[in-house]
Amino acid sequence: MGRRPPYMYVDAHHRRRHRHLLQQRVLADDRNPVSSYYHSSSLTQSSLRSREETDSSLPYLCSRRPSTSPVHHRHPASASYKPLTRTLFSTLVQRAAGSVMSQNRRVLQAQSYFRQRLNAIMALLQPAMASTTTTTTSTRSERVIPMVVAARRNLTLPERIPRGAWDSHMHVVDPASYPLSKDAVYCPKTHRLEHALAFESSVGIDNIVLVQPSIYGTDNTCLLDALRALGPRRGRAVVAFEPGSVPRRTLAEWHDLGVRGVRINLSSVGRLLSAAELSDLLLRYAADCRPLDWVIQVYMPMSMIPLLEPVVPALGVRVCVDHLGHPDIKAAAAENPYDVEGFGALARLLRAGDTYVKLSAPYRLSARADHGDIEPVAREVLRLRGLDRVVFATDWPHTRFEGLDIRPWMETVLDWCGRDDVLADRLFRGNAEDLWNTRRRV
């Protein structure tokens, strides 16, 4: 056999050289994974060339065949080699560490959530599991339901409140920083946003709806400043203004902050309107609210609710009635809610679907410390549209009722829900999200 052509020697040398460099790269990868990641795309043709390739005095290089070595198929971008700097190394390490910490944080949060829910479920099941008496299904159900309610009572209030709950009616007031209206009928203590958030956190509520109190009239500065500090992800607001008095551009700016309604407050100031006056007022407010899909929130005696029936269908917006419609419990037998003047009209409005009711402020309505006299009205409202048209609210800071503890009322409302977790979730979270459009981008 004759001698092999010169280009075959060169190709063999290329293969040996390339294999040697790959072995060195493997060793470098084991020592420094971060460096290997950076250098994996930095191997260049020049780093793999042999002495024969770079020596122009060898004539056979001019006539050799194109090599099939992988070196010749590398992307041109890899021809520029940059050493790994200390800054880049630190950046890569920080990113890797941050990713691990973020994953660990999510895992811990998930573990905490599931542990809390598991404890709640075990507390509910324990009374039923402890019972060994064999009875019929109906008798067992009658015995287990009170035990389930008792087991729920063993949980703390924040544990019983559904996650993501909304307080659909509360106030912030600061008479020292924001002067009251000249027509204010009372002067409350200072209750700023930080006080409100501390209270809401203590009862397990995550989100709030700021409502303009009557003592500020149509000056919404205090409310808007608090809403701006809170942000639209956790807050909504209901303002007060005269119909047609606020430019559309200003209303749009308020909408971006999280405002979702306007309040008509008749009860707090003792104002009475005829059917024609109320209809005209609502229609003018609807013209302002309709383009933004806002809510008209009304606070009026239940005796005036029948005046809403003919006009609400023509408004084209949703209407929310404050504080259970403010029924006059003292003037009627508490056993039958339909004996209360105006409750029949409220029930018909609820069935029609354009009206919401706030389950709130029992101390403004009840003559009893346990609020038992308003239970028939509240339960009937929950029976009618509790799953989609009733929202819970604390009415914090309970102006004109300073020092009141709303927690027993919240426990009572949860007891009314019984073992219906869907009803509790809708009452404290789902219905509020629908009413205040919290699922839409602000």
Side-chain angles (χ1 to χ4, degrees):
M1 296 179 59
R3 295 185 60 184
R4 289 183 293 179
Y7 66 84
M8 296 184 65
Y9 291 99
V10 176
D11 288 345
H13 178 76
H14 287 169
R15 288 193 293 272
R16 288 194 300 272
R17 176 70 172 173
H18 185 61
R19 185 164 54 251
H20 175 67
L21 290 175
L22 288 179
Q23 291 174 354
Q24 290 182 343
R25 174 55 53 206
V26 170
L27 293 176
D29 290 350
D30 294 337
R31 297 190 188 100
N32 191 351
V34 178
S35 176
S36 67
Y37 170 79
Y38 179 80
H39 286 295
S40 61
S41 62
S42 300
L43 292 176
T44 64
Q45 293 185 19
S46 60
S47 64
L48 299 178
R49 288 176 181 171
S50 64
R51 184 185 63 82
E52 290 84 353
E53 290 181 277
T54 57
D55 191 351
S56 59
S57 63
L58 298 178
Y60 57 79
L61 289 177
C62 301
S63 59
R64 68 181 180 87
R65 294 181 183 178
S67 173
T68 58
S69 172
V71 175
H72 298 283
H73 297 282
R74 290 193 176 274
H75 194 275
S78 64
S80 59
Y81 172 80
K82 296 181 180 179
L84 180 65
T85 62
R86 180 175 300 179
T87 303
L88 179 59
F89 178 80
S90 301
T91 302
L92 291 174
V93 171
Q94 290 174 2
R95 288 182 179 177
S99 176
V100 173
M101 292 177 63
S102 177
Q103 293 177 2
N104 291 341
R105 189 182 303 110
R106 287 195 293 268
V107 170
L108 292 175
Q109 290 175 348
Q111 290 177 347
S112 175
Y113 169 76
F114 285 116
R115 188 181 300 111
Q116 178 185 7
R117 290 304 174 189
L118 181 60
N119 292 337
I121 292 173
M122 293 304 297
L124 296 177
L125 293 179
Q126 187 174 2
M129 295 170 62
S131 177
T132 57
T133 305
T134 58
T135 57
T136 62
T137 303
S138 60
T139 305
R140 185 182 299 111
S141 177
E142 293 175 357
R143 186 180 65 256
V144 168
I145 291 176
M147 289 192 296
V148 169
V149 173
R152 292 177 187 272
R153 277 286 189 177
N154 293 332
L155 301 175
T156 64
L157 179 59
E159 291 174 339
R160 299 183 68 188
I161 297 295
R163 291 174 64 88
W166 281 81
D167 181 353
S168 287
H169 190 113
M170 51 85 61
H171 311 282
V172 288
V173 290
D174 188 357
S177 302
Y178 301 89
L180 304 181
S181 169
K182 59 182 179 61
D183 298 325
V185 296
Y186 65 95
C187 181
K189 296 180 180 179
T190 297
H191 300 281
R192 300 189 184 93
L193 178 62
E194 56 267 28
H195 305 145
L197 294 179
F199 161 75
E200 302 290 356
S201 177
S202 70
V203 296
I205 293 180
D206 302 317
N207 312 290
I208 60 178
V209 179
L210 301 167
V211 177
Q212 176 76 346
S214 62
I215 54 176
Y216 280 122
T218 58
D219 183 1
N220 300 283
T221 307
C222 180
L223 178 144
L224 293 175
D225 286 349
L227 181 62
R228 191 176 291 108
L230 179 63
R233 295 188 62 182
R234 292 189 58 193
R236 289 291 186 266
V238 178
V239 295
F241 58 86
E242 294 297 327
S245 63
V246 181
R248 291 293 176 87
R249 182 175 180 178
T250 301
L251 294 178
E253 292 174 355
W254 290 356
H255 183 86
D256 292 339
L257 288 177
V259 175
R260 288 298 182 272
V262 60
R263 190 186 195 197
I264 303 175
N265 190 342
L266 303 179
S267 292
S268 296
V269 297
R271 183 182 177 188
L272 297 177
L273 298 177
S274 65
E277 291 172 335
L278 180 61
S279 176
D280 178 69
L281 184 65
L282 289 171
L283 288 172
R284 287 191 291 151
Y285 273 117
D288 291 327
C289 295
R290 198 178 300 112
L292 298 170
D293 194 22
W294 281 9
V295 177
I296 296 179
Q297 181 174 308
V298 294
Y299 184 27
M300 60 177 60
M302 186 168 283
S303 58
M304 292 183 63
I305 296 295
L307 303 181
L308 292 175
E309 272 195 277
V311 66
V312 167
L315 296 178
V317 298
R318 292 158 296 160
V319 174
C320 183
V321 179
D322 278 350
H323 308 329
L324 270 176
H326 202 105
D328 188 0
I329 300 296
K330 302 174 185 178
E335 291 76 12
N336 186 1
Y338 290 91
D339 291 339
V340 179
E341 183 181 2
F343 184 82
L346 179 63
R348 290 188 292 272
L349 286 170
L350 283 173
R351 292 191 186 99
D354 292 328
T355 304
Y356 286 72
V357 172
K358 289 184 181 179
L359 195 60
S360 58
Y363 44 86
R364 301 185 188 275
L365 318 172
S366 175
R368 292 169 49 178
D370 61 353
H371 315 309
D373 48 355
I374 66 171
E375 180 175 349
V377 173
R379 282 187 176 273
E380 180 64 11
V381 166
L382 290 175
R383 187 191 69 82
L384 289 172
R385 299 302 293 265
L387 289 174
D388 60 354
R389 290 296 182 270
V390 184
V391 295
F392 176 82
T394 65
D395 193 35
W396 186 92
H398 326 298
T399 53
R400 290 192 271 191
F401 293 85
E402 298 288 347
L404 183 140
D405 186 7
I406 199 64
R407 291 171 179 82
W409 164 249
M410 299 178 69
E411 297 276 7
T412 299
V413 172
L414 288 167
D415 290 345
W416 289 344
C417 295
R419 56 177 180 175
D420 192 344
D421 291 336
V422 175
L423 175 60
D425 182 72
R426 294 296 303 178
L427 180 61
F428 283 87
R429 183 194 59 82
N431 296 343
E433 291 181 350
D434 295 338
L435 178 61
W436 308 117
N437 287 340
T438 65
R439 296 188 182 93
R440 302 181 184 180
R441 293 187 62 184
V442 177

